[in-house]
C-alpha cells in the first residue's frame, strides 16, 4: 500500500495528458490478465460528507475508459459477529485486469458501527478491527489484488459552509450516511476515531476542487503503474523446515470393528449428530481432506444420514474454473460459507493450496508457504463470527488404497470414482504425506484443530468422525 | 416438459442398475457441455409435507454421483411486485452439463403467497402467475435448460398418521413451511389450488417409500436421457418477413443546434432529469443501443451529470464470458437488474442477441427469431414488478460515423474507442439497419417503446435523450 508519507508531489497536470496516461495504464492492467505480472486494483473511498468523494469519482470516470472502472456503493453492513467484515464485499473483489472502486467498504462499516451503535467500540476493539482489516488487505496484495485507500477530508468550517449552500434536491444519497454533519461533537468524534485508521491512507483535502480531483486521479495513475513486485509482500526467507510425519500416518490402525457393534453405534451417533447440528445455533463448517479413497464420501453420507437435504449444503471442490483462477485462491470459498446457522460440508477445501497445488507445483513455494498464515487468518475470522470449523484428515495405508481402487473398478456404479489420475497420484504418496504433515504443523489451531483419523477400517473411521463432530458442537446438557 | 399423461410404467428396478444408469447419464450430460447437444437439467420439487421429498432426494443423492447434483433450498420469497418471480433463483439456473434441484422455487413462492397473505390471490391471478411461469420455463428449455417438476403428494389420513409418529427433534426444517398440516381446511385449500398448476408436473404418491424413491429417480433418469431435440420448442416456421426500415434512419437529421442554446437547455435538463430519477420510486432501467460512435457514451455522461456515482450503476456489455455462454443468453442480465429504486444504465444490452449476434451469425436464425418474444416477456416481467424500462436507439449517417471514427483516431485519449473491428463493422451497415428495423417491429411495446434518435448533431441527440427520460418518469406535479 502506498502511504501518504511517501507522497508524490501533486501539481495539476494537463487534463488530456492525464486522461491519456490513465487510459494507457488501464489497458496495461487489462492486458496483464493471465500473465505472471497480472494484478487488479481495488480502490476504497471514504471520508467526510461533502468533501467531494462523489465529484472526484465522477471526474475520474470522465478521464478513464469508464467501461473498465467498476463502481459499487453498498449501504453499510454493521459489524457484529454475524459475518466476517469482508464477506459482503467478497463478490466485488476484482479479477486480474479489473479495477473496482468501493464507496461502501469494511472501513465505512467500521466507522458506521463505531459512530452509531448504542454501546460504542472501545479503542482497543477499534484498533483490533483495523489490524484485522490491514492483515486482510496484505493477503489480498499477496494474491495480486492491489489495495489503495482514500480519505476525503474537509475542515469543519468548510463543511458548514457547503451544508449552507446545499441544494435540497440532491439529498437522496446522503440519507445513506446518517450522521448529523451539523454537530460539532459528531464531527470531532469521527475525526478522532478515523485517525486511528487512516495512517496508511491517502488523505485528500476536499477544499480545493481541482487539486482534489487531480490528486485522486494521479494517485490512482501511480497505483496502476506500480509493478506487481513492489506491491507483493516479500518472499518468506530462511530455510523451510519440514515437519515430521505424525506417527499415526506411518502405522495405520488395522483393528476392524464388528458389523453388529458398528450398526448399533452408528444408529446412535447419526441421530445424536443430527440433533446436535440442529441445536448448535452457530454456522457450521465441516472440512474433509485426506488420501484418495480414504472414505470422505462415506463419512459425509453418515453425517447427513438423519438430516433433510434442505438442512445442509455440500461443496465438492475440484480444480478452479478460469474466472476463479483470476482471483485470490480463497475467493471461491468466501462465497460458499454458511449463513443463518447453516451447515456447509466441504469435500476437499481451501487446503488444496497446501496439498495438491503444492505437490503438483500449481502454486509456487512462496505461495503455498504463505498460505498457512492466510488460511489461519481466514479460519480465525470465521471463528470470530459465530462459526465452528471442524476439520478432518482421513488416512489409510497404501495397501488399503490399492484394495479400494480395485474394488471401485470392479463395481459398475462406483467406477466413476476411480480414474487413471488416481493411480498416478499414488506415486506421490510420500509428497502428499509430507504436505499433510506440514499442514498439521502450521494450521492446527486451538479453535480449529485437525482431527486425524488413520485407520484402514471404514467403519471405525465413520464412527470417529461422528464422535469428533459431537465433541466440537455446543449441545444443551 | 414431460407430462404425467405420457407416463412411463414404474416398476422398481435393481438399485445397482439404476444407480449405474443414473451415473452414466450424468456423465453424458456433463460431457455434452460445449457441444451442440449441450443441455442442463433443472429439477423443481414441491409437495405436501411428510410426503417424502427430502427422503427421495437423499436416496437420489446416494444413487447418483453426488458431486454433480447441486441441491438448493431457499426459504420462500413472497411474490408481490417487488421482483420478477425468477429473480431470486437466477443464480441457480444450471450451466450446460449441470444438474440442479430446487426445493424452494417459484411455485413454492406462489403457493406460500396464495396460502399466507391476508388478501389471497384470486383464481385468475393464480392462473396468470402459473401461465407466466410456464412461459418462462419454455424459454429456459428453448435455451437448453431442461425443466422437470415433481409434486410429492400424500393423502390426508396418511399425513395425519405420519404427523403422529413424528420425532420432535426433526422439526427444525419444517418451520420453513409454516402451514398447519393438522388443519383439514388448509390441506383442502392447498390441494385445490395446487391442482391448478400441477397438470404438467409429475405427481408422486408418497405413501409407498420404495415406489416413491424409484419413481422419482426413474423420471430423472428418463429426463437425463432425453435428447435435446425433444425438449426444445419447434423452430419457428413460415417465411421471415423483413420489416421496412424507418424513414428517420434513412435520412438522418442534419440540423445543428447552436452551442449557447444547447448549453442552456442542457443545464436545465440535466438538473431536472436528476431530480426526476430521484423522485421516481420505481427501479429504473435505461438501455442504449445504436451504431458505433452514435454517442451512447456521451448521452450517458449527460444523464449522470448531476447524479452522485453512488446513485446509479452502468454496465457496459461486451462479448459474453465462457461461463455466461453456458447459460441462457438473458442470464447475465438477470443478475444485473436494479433493486430498491436503483438506477441501472446498460451501454448495449440483451438486444445484442438480435443485433450483433444475428449479424455476425453468433446466434442461429431460429435463436434470434425466437429472442424477440423472449425479450418481450423479460421486459414485461420487469414492468410488472415496479420497474420502468427506457430504450434508446441512437442513429447517425454513415458519413458522420466516418468523421467521428477519424476524430477518435486523432485524439490520443479517445483512441481506445476505435479499433479495426469498428471499421470492419461499417461494411455491414445495411445488415445492422435491417436488424434494427426488425427489432423495432417486434419489441416496440406500449410500456417499453423504442426512442429512435436519428441525428448527426450530438448536441440535439443528447437533449432528446434527456427529454425522453423525463417523459417516461413519474414526477410529482
Amino acid at each position: 500500500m502506498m502511504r501518504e508519507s511517501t507522497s508524490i508531489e501533486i501539481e495539476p497536470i494537463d487534463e488530456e495528458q492525464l486522461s491519456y496516461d490513465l487510459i494507457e495504464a488501464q489497458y496495461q492492467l487489462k492486458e496483464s490478465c493471465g500473465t505472471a505480472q497480472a494484478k487488479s486494483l481495488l480502490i476504497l473511498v471514504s471520508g467526510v460528507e461533502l468533501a467531494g468523494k462523489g465529484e472526484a469519482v465522477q471526474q475520474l470516470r470522465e478521464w478513464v475508459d469508464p467501461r473498465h472502472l467498476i463502481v459499487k456503493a453498498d449501504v453499510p453492513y454493521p459489524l457484529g459477529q454475524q459475518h466476517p467484515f469482508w464477506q459482503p464485499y467478497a463478490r466485488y473483489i476484482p479479477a486480474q485486469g479489473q479495477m473496482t472502486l468501493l464507496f461502501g467498504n469494511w472501513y465505512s462499516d467500521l466507522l458506521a458501527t463505531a459512530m452509531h451503535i448504542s454501546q460504542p467500540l472501545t479503542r482497543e476493539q477499534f484498533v483490533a478491527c483495523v489490524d484485522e482489516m490491514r492483515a486482510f488487505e496484505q493477503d489480498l496484495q499477496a494474491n495480486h489484488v492491489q489495495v489503495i485507500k482514500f480519505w476525503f477530508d474537509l475542515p469543519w468550517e468548510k463543511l458548514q459552509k457547503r451544508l449552507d449552500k446545499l441544494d435540497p434536491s440532491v439529498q437522496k444519497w446522503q440519507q445513506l450516511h446518517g450522521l448529523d454533519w451539523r454537530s460539532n461533537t459528531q464531527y470531532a468524534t469521527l475525526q478522532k476515531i478515523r485517525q486511528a485508521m487512516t495512517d496508511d491512507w491517502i488523505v485528500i483535502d476536499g477544499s480545493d476542487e481541482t487539486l482534489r480531483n487531480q490528486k485522486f486521479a494521479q494517485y490512482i495513475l501511480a497505483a496502476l503503474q506500480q509493478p506487481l513486485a513492489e506491491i507483493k509482500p516479500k518472499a518468506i526467507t530462511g530455510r523451510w523446515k519440514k515437519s515430521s510425519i505424525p506417527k499415526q500416518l506411518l502405522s495405520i490402525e488395522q483393528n476392524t470393528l464388528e458389523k453388529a457393534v458398528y450398526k448399533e453405534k452408528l444408529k446412535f451417533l447419526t441421530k445424536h449428530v443430527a440433533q446436535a447440528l440442529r441445536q448448535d445455533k452457530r454456522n457450521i463448517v465441516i472440512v474433509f481432506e485426506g488420501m484418495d479413497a480414504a472414505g470422505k464420501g462415506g463419512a459425509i453420507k453418515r453425517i447427513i444420514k438423519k438430516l433433510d437435504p434442505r438442512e445442509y449444503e455440500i461443496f465438492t471442490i475440484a480444480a478452479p474454473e478460469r474466472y476463479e483462477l483470476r482471483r485470490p485462491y480463497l475467493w471461491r470459498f468466501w462465497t460458499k460459507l454458511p449463513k443463518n446457522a447453516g451447515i456447509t460440508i466441504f469435500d476437499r477445501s481451501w487446503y488444496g493450496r497446501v496439498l495438491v497445488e503444492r505437490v503438483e507445483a500449481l502454486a509456487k513455494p512462496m505461495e503455498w508457504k504463505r498460505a498457512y498464515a492466510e488460511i489461519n487468518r481466514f479460519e480465525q475470522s470465521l471463528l470470530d463470527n459465530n462459526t465452528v470449523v471442524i476439520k478432518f484428515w482421513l488416512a489409510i495405508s497404501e495397501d488399503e488404497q490399492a484394495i479400494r481402487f480395485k474394488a471401485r473398478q470392479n463395481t459398475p456404479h462406483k467406477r466413476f470414482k476411480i480414474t487413471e489420475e488416481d493411480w498416478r497420484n499414488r506415486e506421490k504418496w510420500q509428497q502428499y504425506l509430507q504436505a499433510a504433515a506440514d499442514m498439521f504443523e502450521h494450521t492446527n489451531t486451538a479453535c480449529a484443530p485437525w482431527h486425524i483419523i488413520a485407520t484402514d477400517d471404514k467403519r471405525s473411521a465413520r464412527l470417529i468422525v461422528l464422535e469428533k463432530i459431537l465433541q466440537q458442537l455446543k449441545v444443551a446438557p
Side-chain angles (χ1 to χ4, degrees), chain A:
Chain A
M1 265 157 278
M2 274 188 296
R3 292 188 173 244
E4 176 64 344
S5 52
T6 64
S7 174
I8 43 177
E9 263 316 298
I10 298 298
E11 293 279 336
I13 57 176
D14 177 65
E15 286 195 27
E16 286 207 357
Q17 184 63 42
L18 181 57
S19 172
Y20 179 78
D21 291 344
L22 277 164
I23 290 164
E24 284 293 308
Q26 273 185 296
Y27 275 74
Q28 267 172 34
L29 181 78
K30 211 169 131 59
E31 278 155 24
S32 78
C33 185
T35 73
Q37 290 313 307
K39 67 170 190 180
S40 63
L41 184 61
L42 180 64
I43 305 164
L44 307 185
V45 170
S46 290
V48 173
E49 204 53 76
L50 296 183
K53 297 186 284 288
E55 291 83 348
V57 172
Q58 193 90 318
Q59 176 60 71
L60 180 71
R61 195 191 267 284
E62 299 198 3
W63 283 333
V64 300
D65 180 349
R67 295 171 298 181
H68 301 125
L69 169 65
I70 300 162
V71 176
K72 295 287 171 185
D74 287 16
V75 290
Y77 303 94
L79 299 180
Q81 271 105 65
Q82 285 316 299
H83 57 77
F85 66 85
W86 41 260
Q87 200 166 18
Y89 304 101
R91 59 201 163 139
Y92 299 144
I93 299 298
Q96 288 173 14
Q98 284 182 351
M99 165 156 78
T100 297
L101 186 150
L102 299 183
F103 273 109
N105 56 59
W106 37 93
Y107 291 103
S108 45
D109 293 344
L110 174 60
L111 284 179
T113 308
M115 296 293 291
H116 283 300
I117 57 168
S118 48
Q119 198 159 13
L121 301 176
T122 64
R123 172 132 191 124
E124 286 69 33
Q125 286 171 321
F126 188 87
V127 170
C129 281
V130 172
D131 285 346
E132 235 189 286
M133 290 170 178
R134 287 183 183 167
F136 175 71
E137 290 154 23
Q138 285 296 338
D139 287 344
L140 284 181
Q141 304 224 137
N143 289 281
H144 300 222
V145 180
Q146 183 174 5
V147 182
I148 179 168
K149 300 180 280 191
F150 290 96
W151 180 267
F152 282 77
D153 208 35
L154 199 63
W156 168 253
E157 297 74 24
K158 287 244 170 69
L159 171 60
Q160 297 312 305
K161 267 193 198 143
R162 289 194 185 171
L163 285 168
D164 294 342
K165 284 193 287 183
L166 200 61
D167 175 347
S169 80
V170 303
Q171 302 230 351
K172 179 184 166 188
W173 53 268
Q174 300 193 350
Q175 295 162 6
L176 299 177
H177 305 278
L179 280 188
D180 179 3
W181 296 100
R182 288 295 197 187
S183 155
N184 198 317
T185 325
Q186 283 211 356
Y187 180 87
T189 310
L190 177 72
Q191 285 292 1
K192 205 178 133 205
I193 59 176
R194 76 92 179 162
Q195 265 154 13
M197 77 184 204
T198 53
D199 59 319
D200 62 342
W201 292 51
I202 296 152
V203 179
I204 293 186
D205 185 337
S207 306
D208 182 307
E209 280 186 32
T210 311
L211 263 179
R212 172 195 71 200
N213 294 354
Q214 281 261 352
K215 189 171 177 182
F216 180 60
Q218 287 187 40
Y219 267 102
I220 286 173
L221 175 60
L224 283 168
Q225 290 171 335
Q226 220 175 354
L228 184 66
E230 286 181 23
I231 300 150
K232 284 176 70 175
K234 288 209 184 78
I236 297 166
T237 51
R239 251 195 75 185
W240 175 255
K241 207 169 147 275
K242 282 185 185 176
S243 306
S244 56
I245 300 191
K247 275 193 199 140
Q248 303 156 271
L249 299 191
L250 297 172
S251 104
I252 302 289
E253 181 64 54
Q254 296 297 325
N255 291 356
T256 61
L257 198 65
E258 228 180 285
K259 191 162 185 179
V261 182
Y262 167 68
K263 286 256 169 187
E264 198 188 337
K265 285 196 173 177
L266 184 69
K267 201 173 166 188
F268 174 86
L269 282 168
T270 49
K271 192 179 158 190
H272 280 262
V273 162
Q275 279 175 351
L277 288 168
R278 284 183 188 121
Q279 273 184 29
D280 197 313
K281 292 305 174 210
R282 295 173 294 179
N283 297 314
I284 297 166
V285 170
I286 305 177
V287 170
F288 280 91
E289 294 285 355
M291 293 300 196
D292 289 333
K296 295 188 291 295
I300 291 171
K301 206 161 132 178
R302 272 70 192 186
I303 296 173
I304 61 175
K305 186 91 185 165
K306 297 285 175 191
L307 292 175
D308 186 271
R310 283 161 277 189
E311 294 182 276
Y312 58 83
E313 191 144 26
I314 300 175
F315 290 104
T316 304
I317 303 303
E321 297 270 352
R322 198 170 50 171
Y323 71 96
E324 295 169 330
L325 283 170
R326 290 183 188 160
R327 293 181 167 93
Y329 71 96
L330 282 176
W331 181 79
R332 60 177 172 147
F333 304 104
W334 292 342
T335 51
K336 292 184 173 68
L337 297 167
K339 283 176 208 155
N340 308 321
I343 302 164
T344 304
I345 302 173
F346 288 94
D347 183 350
R348 304 207 184 275
S349 70
W350 43 93
Y351 283 101
R353 187 71 165 178
V354 296
L355 296 168
V356 58
E357 291 189 33
R358 167 184 173 178
V359 173
E360 303 292 339
L362 301 167
K364 294 188 196 115
M366 60 174 274
E367 287 175 333
W368 59 257
K369 284 177 191 169
R370 202 170 40 217
Y372 300 114
E374 291 169 354
I375 288 172
N376 286 340
R377 279 192 283 275
F378 165 64
E379 290 183 1
Q380 189 60 48
S381 70
L382 297 182
L383 299 171
D384 291 344
N385 290 283
N386 204 33
T387 302
V388 54
V389 180
I390 309 176
K391 304 188 294 198
F392 291 102
W393 177 265
L394 301 192
I396 49 171
S397 68
E398 246 184 302
D399 293 346
E400 176 66 17
Q401 191 189 52
I403 294 167
R404 293 189 188 177
F405 277 9
K406 280 175 199 151
R408 285 180 175 186
Q409 280 178 326
N410 296 329
T411 312
H413 70 280
K414 285 192 173 167
R415 253 187 353 209
F416 71 90
K417 285 185 159 186
I418 177 89
T419 65
E420 278 304 307
E421 206 188 320
D422 295 323
W423 287 105
R424 273 199 305 277
N425 283 343
R426 278 171 64 80
E427 291 162 23
K428 296 181 177 162
W429 188 271
Q430 281 308 319
Q431 293 169 35
Y432 274 104
L433 267 192
Q434 186 60 54
D438 293 334
M439 176 179 81
F440 302 141
E441 174 71 24
H442 295 287
T443 63
N444 193 47
T445 53
C447 293
W450 276 101
H451 302 292
I452 302 175
I453 299 174
T455 167
D456 281 346
D457 183 45
K458 275 185 190 178
R459 293 173 190 155
S460 307
R462 289 170 190 164
L463 297 183
I464 302 170
V465 163
L466 296 171
E467 282 165 1
K468 294 293 177 190
I469 291 177
L470 274 185
Q471 282 171 22
Q472 260 192 270
L473 293 178
K474 279 185 198 158
V475 192

